[in-house]
Amino acid sequence: MEKRGRGGKSSPIQHLSQPTPPQPRKERRPSMFEREAYAQILRERLRESVHDVQYIEPPFADSVADLGKEWRGALAKFKLASSYRMQPLKKFQAHSVETKVQQILKESLKDVKYDDKVFSHLSLELADHILSAVKEFGYHRYKFIIKVLFIQKTGQAITIASRWIWDVAWDSWVAVKHETETYVALALVFALYCE
């Protein structure tokens, strides 16, 4: 017979002594130090990648260290020998770029009225157009940052400032303003020399 305590309930000791049903074991993650698992981990990471990556399947007979070298070698960038050039072949000429950007702004914005929705797309298009025009000058090893701002005229004052750490001898910038009755368009071109 079963012993019952007060109130006719079974004792808590009996509940603890009942065996719990076995739970399924979790599958362990593969270690990156196992030869087959390392290649599998690389394949999974590349599959989830959003970049356009070229991958060469490494041979499985090699060691794990060789697998990593092979994989890194397949993704390596094309390397060029250093020329040790400390100055550009042709220095950035701000006045010629300024006239070209002024011409682009005049042609693109001659009949345009202020509209926020139109200007959000127009600023990107103008920046791309200015960048391609500046690249045609052929400044070797210069990187360009183009910023196009549209400011509606409502009687306000505005100050725009930019700060950079750069080489005063080779880096430069250009600011071009195009003004109409309803807005002001400001194009900033930063030219940074990369050694």
Side-chain angles (χ1 to χ4, degrees):
M1 267 196 107
E2 189 177 41
K3 282 190 174 183
R4 295 192 182 248
R6 273 175 143 188
K9 293 183 181 174
S10 61
S11 68
I13 298 172
Q14 287 179 343
H15 287 294
L16 294 177
S17 64
Q18 292 177 352
T20 58
Q23 294 180 351
R25 291 182 62 184
K26 289 184 178 179
E27 189 175 317
R28 76 174 183 86
R29 288 175 44 185
S31 170
M32 67 179 278
F33 298 108
E34 298 171 10
R35 182 176 295 166
E36 293 81 20
Y38 185 71
Q40 178 187 358
I41 289 170
L42 290 179
R43 270 190 244 108
E44 288 174 2
R45 286 185 182 166
L46 287 172
R47 191 176 303 125
E48 295 170 0
S49 176
V50 294
H51 301 289
D52 189 21
V53 178
Q54 184 181 16
Y55 176 70
I56 298 173
E57 185 71 32
F60 290 107
D62 295 340
S63 69
V64 174
D66 292 339
L67 285 175
K69 289 177 188 173
E70 185 93 19
W71 179 70
R72 270 189 241 118
L75 298 178
K77 290 184 177 179
F78 185 69
K79 293 184 179 180
L80 299 172
S82 180
S83 65
Y84 301 103
R85 180 176 299 281
M86 302 299 284
Q87 45 187 283
L89 297 172
K90 180 170 130 181
K91 188 176 176 182
F92 182 78
Q93 297 169 350
H95 59 86
S96 59
V97 172
E98 186 175 357
T99 55
K100 182 67 175 175
V101 173
Q102 184 69 45
Q103 178 186 358
I104 290 170
L105 288 180
K106 270 187 183 177
E107 290 173 4
S108 302
L109 303 174
K110 61 182 171 186
D111 295 328
V112 178
K113 297 288 182 190
Y114 184 82
D115 186 12
D116 333 4
K117 295 172 186 170
V118 172
F119 279 168
S120 63
H121 298 290
L122 187 62
S123 63
L124 294 173
E125 290 173 13
L126 275 174
D128 289 338
H129 187 56
I130 291 170
L131 179 63
S132 61
V134 170
K135 282 186 176 181
E136 287 176 3
F137 283 101
Y139 296 115
H140 185 64
R141 288 193 176 181
Y142 272 96
K143 294 197 184 275
F144 300 104
I145 299 170
I146 314 292
K147 222 176 180 184
V148 179
L149 305 168
F150 289 101
I151 305 148
Q152 185 180 13
K153 282 187 176 179
T154 55
Q156 79 278 19
I158 189 166
T159 303
I160 298 171
S162 299
R163 288 187 177 187
W164 300 91
I165 297 175
W166 63 16
D167 184 5
V168 182
W170 308 117
D171 300 340
S172 186
W173 64 282
V174 172
V176 178
K177 183 173 76 168
H178 177 76
E179 194 168 346
T180 65
E181 295 177 3
T182 56
Y183 65 90
V184 175
L186 180 66
L188 300 169
V189 179
F190 298 98
L192 308 169
Y193 178 68
C194 294
E195 295 174 355

